[in-house]
Amino acid sequence: MASAFSDIQPDEYVPSEQHPQHGVIIGGPAARAKRIEYGILLSTMVLGSLGALYWTLTHATGWVEWSAFLFGFALINMGVGIGYHRYFTHRAFEAGPKMRLAIGIMAQMACQASVLKWAADHRRHHAFADGVGDVHSPYIDGHGKKMGKLKGLGIAHFGWLFDNTTSDMKVYGKGLIDDPQVLWCHKHRWSIAIFSSIVLPALWALAFGGPEHIIGTILIGGFFRNFFFLNFVMGVNSIGHVFGSQRFETKDGSRNNWFMAWMTFGDGWHNNHHQHPRAASSKIAWWEFDLNGQIIYAWEKMGLVWNVQRAPAYIRNDKGEWVLKKAKVAMAGIAEPEVMSADDGGILFPAKDRQPHIEPAE
């Protein structure tokens, strides 16, 4: 019997070459489907963005087009950070079926593949962060080969979308492959992408401007909005593992980057996140902006979500080091980086089995 995700990972495929890490598939229909899907999504964003540039230079644009851009940017920012990332990947909170469906649709409006695919890949990233098996490390490729800094940044940013490795849904899709809301979103991912990129901007233009604003709003508030935001999401994978500060020794290259944090509503506090991946907010210091985390806390107060996971409180000691505020918590071992577990919907990856951070090849 075919699985509900057989369109991206056929049951009958047996790879001729085995990857060193469990749950990573080399080649086959899944790799081809991945390249085709990401190729369509990325090329339409790029072409649409070039169209937006041309339209901006040759036509008058105003608040209709750019308000659609800003509204859509905020919407998909929440969708990716809260939906794809904190909920479906890490289970930072719990939600009912209607809320799960709403979050899933909002996430897929970013046009970055289905919830199923995105979350499975990101779970694999955390399982082997900057080690053999990582999906998008700037230090090694999908097969574990070391890369130079420039090539590594390119692979981690966009190149990984087109390699021949995929994440085994039966390993990294646990808790997702049998979720009706996730499977509905996966089945309708192209319809949601078309609605987000074309239909919603067109309706926005008609509601706040007129027919003459439709093309410009679709190009600017649809395709360019998606591509602009995509670069910051990918930037967390690339720049966020090379440039920035490290508050915690997580044995990978994750960094806290304030610019990426502002542009992704909090996901740029990436070192904080790798220390406590299940936390609903990546904010540790008072000045670290995490809008997505605040939205989750607001939803919790409204009763829309519950069982919200929180990172322990940290303070600076006399040496300027960040230490756990409560000694009892520190004794429980929470100061050690958290790893993927059954609670994340994946399988257990003990810290001893994780690959250390690899410096780039010269």
Side-chain angles (χ1 to χ4, degrees), residues 86-87 90-100 103 278 280 295-310:
R86 306 186 196 197
Y87 179 65
H90 295 296
R91 300 299 191 196
F93 56 90
E94 293 183 33
K98 292 180 180 178
M99 192 65 178
R100 290 205 308 274
I103 294 172
R278 292 202 69 209
I295 292 171
I296 294 171
Y297 293 156
W299 287 353
E300 180 185 32
K301 291 181 179 179
M302 296 166 64
L304 297 174
V305 302
W306 57 92
N307 194 23
V308 176
Q309 303 297 308
R310 288 172 168 82

Side-chain angles (χ1 to χ4, degrees), residues 166-341:
T166 53
S167 304
D168 190 342
M169 292 297 162
K170 296 173 183 176
V171 176
Y172 299 103
K174 290 183 178 180
L176 299 171
I177 57 177
D178 54 359
D179 186 317
Q181 285 72 41
V182 170
L183 295 179
W184 188 94
C185 288
H186 176 73
K187 180 180 179 180
H188 295 90
R189 63 191 184 279
W190 292 108
S191 298
I192 295 171
I194 292 170
F195 173 79
S196 174
S197 302
I198 299 174
V199 178
L200 180 61
L203 292 175
W204 186 280
L206 289 173
F208 299 104
E212 67 275 15
H213 292 277
I214 291 177
I215 295 177
T217 306
I218 289 174
L219 293 173
I220 295 170
F223 294 109
F224 176 59
R225 167 254 289 172
N226 288 339
F227 184 63
F228 182 78
F229 177 61
L230 176 66
N231 276 278
F232 292 104
V233 175
M234 297 302 190
V236 174
N237 300 335
S238 56
I239 295 171
H241 274 255
V242 177
F243 301 104
S245 61
Q246 286 187 304
R247 175 177 285 124
F248 301 107
E249 295 182 4
T250 54
K251 297 182 181 180
D252 54 51
S254 60
R255 302 290 204 274
N256 288 332
N257 187 297
W258 66 267
F259 182 68
M260 289 296 167
W262 275 84
M263 297 306 294
T264 58
F265 290 1
D267 278 3
W269 306 119
H270 204 48
N271 181 247
N272 295 351
H273 170 64
H274 270 257
Q275 178 75 3
H276 298 291
R278 292 202 69 209
S281 174
S282 297
K283 176 180 177 179
I284 297 295
W286 66 267
W287 46 265
E288 290 176 338
F289 170 77
D290 191 333
L291 180 59
N292 281 332
Q294 294 303 313
I295 292 171
I296 294 171
Y297 293 156
W299 287 353
E300 180 185 32
K301 291 181 179 179
M302 296 166 64
L304 297 174
V305 302
W306 57 92
N307 194 23
V308 176
Q309 303 297 308
R310 288 172 168 82
Y314 287 83
I315 58 174
R316 276 186 166 174
N317 62 18
D318 295 337
K319 298 179 181 179
E321 301 168 332
W322 289 89
V323 296
L324 287 164
K325 187 175 182 178
K326 296 182 179 179
K328 290 183 179 180
V329 176
M331 291 176 64
I334 298 181
E336 291 297 316
E338 297 171 12
V339 296
M340 283 287 293
S341 69

